[in-house]
Amino acid sequence: AQSVSQHNHHVILSEAASLELGCNYSYGGTVNLFWYVQYPGQHLQLLLKYFSGDPLVKGIKGFEAEFIKSKFSFNLRKPSVQWSDTAEYFCAVMISGGYQKVTFGIGTKLQVIP
Amino acid sequence: DTEVTQTPKHLVMGMTNKKSLKCEQHMGHRAMYWYKQKAKKPPELMFVYSYEKLSINESVPSRFSPECPNSSLLNLHLHALQPEDSALYLCASSFSGGEETQYFGPGTRLLVL
């Protein structure tokens, strides 16, 4: 079974700082990868996804993530965070091959200080 | 319409009660999902319906009973729950249940007393 590790559980940054959230998965085969975001009081929303092609994917609100297959990683980045980015971020993996099961990481709570 | 809606938003029930959670989407999606999210934990898959048929049951206790009356609607019937079942119950949908993005509803926050 696949598993997802998010190394930083709570990150505090000042506005304009750069962000990188780590995500590693354990599965030797082909995977589809996601980052979801949950803003305070709101539901899970898709930030970006990787299915195939260019391993550098761009999502909404200036976020991007890079899939590095050799490192089993899919780290999320943003060059300059804003207070409105305060939220919980979940990395998720789906095994490729028609499966429907998405496995989530434990989440990283990001707090951006104005 | 790109939303998944869930009712009720909050639910408090006793251990002997019977209640139901409802999820609806009008995106034409043919796969719908129930997840359970405990505090400070990630969402965990419970059930998957594809084309109104149950395709995945992640060994969920029988006190949780899913139902998919049509492609737009998904219910979760609750009976004889335990306090440890208190959690946020999330519904999601996707186009057909393959390798696709799942879209989540806001959840129902359940408290079992």
Side-chain angles (χ1 to χ4, degrees):
Chain A
Q2 70 271 30
S3 66
V4 183
S5 299
Q6 290 182 245
H7 315 297
N8 317 102
H9 295 168
H10 196 181
V11 173
I12 302 174
L13 293 173
S14 298
E15 273 193 316
S18 65
L19 170 72
E20 180 158 2
L21 301 183
C23 173
N24 287 89
Y25 65 92
S26 64
Y27 181 72
T30 306
V31 293
N32 302 313
L33 297 157
F34 307 84
W35 276 98
Y36 281 88
V37 62
Q38 192 166 29
Y39 297 102
Q42 296 190 27
H43 60 278
L44 276 168
Q45 301 171 43
L46 182 70
L47 204 51
L48 47 79
K49 63 187 178 188
Y50 172 80
F51 278 20
S52 63
D54 189 343
L56 184 63
V57 291
K58 295 195 186 297
I60 59 171
K61 304 188 181 188
F63 285 90
E64 65 178 31
E66 186 175 12
F67 171 49
I68 303 180
K69 190 173 180 180
S70 60
K71 293 185 178 180
F72 299 89
S73 70
F74 190 55
N75 292 355
L76 181 71
R77 300 194 291 249
K78 186 170 182 177
S80 174
V81 294
Q82 300 171 310
W83 177 77
S84 57
D85 293 323
T86 295
E88 188 148 21
Y89 293 81
F90 292 93
C91 181
V93 62
M94 175 196 290
I95 291 174
S96 183
Y99 293 94
Q100 301 154 322
K101 181 174 177 178
V102 173
T103 299
F104 285 84
I106 199 162
T108 297
K109 196 162 282 197
L110 172 65
Q111 187 178 352
V112 180
I113 301 169
Chain B
D1 187 350
T2 57
E3 272 195 336
V4 177
T5 59
Q6 290 187 244
T7 54
K9 286 195 168 75
H10 302 274
L11 179 62
V12 181
M13 60 187 290
M15 289 190 282
T16 57
N17 292 159
K18 281 186 184 180
K19 296 284 184 184
S20 296
L21 310 184
K22 180 178 167 183
C23 173
E24 205 160 356
Q25 56 85 17
H26 296 286
M27 296 181 275
H29 288 175
R30 302 306 301 270
M32 295 184 79
Y33 310 76
W34 280 116
Y35 286 83
K36 174 180 177 178
Q37 187 178 18
K38 300 275 280 182
K40 300 183 197 255
K41 298 279 188 187
E44 292 179 354
L45 184 67
M46 298 174 73
F47 301 104
V48 181
Y49 273 83
S50 285
Y51 294 85
E52 294 109 73
K53 288 191 174 5
L54 184 66
S55 60
I56 295 180
N57 176 343
E58 289 285 294
S59 303
V60 179
S62 60
R63 57 186 184 267
F64 295 91
S65 173
E67 179 199 16
C68 190
N70 60 59
S71 60
S72 300
L73 194 53
L74 183 68
N75 298 321
L76 186 63
H77 303 298
L78 314 172
H79 175 52
L81 294 196
Q82 304 296 311
E84 59 264 29
D85 296 321
S86 298
L88 181 68
Y89 288 85
L90 297 167
C91 175
S93 71
S94 69
F95 184 67
S96 65
E99 298 176 45
E100 310 142 344
T101 302
Q102 294 177 18
Y103 296 90
F104 284 82
T108 293
R109 195 162 292 281
L110 174 67
L111 177 62
V112 182
L113 300 176

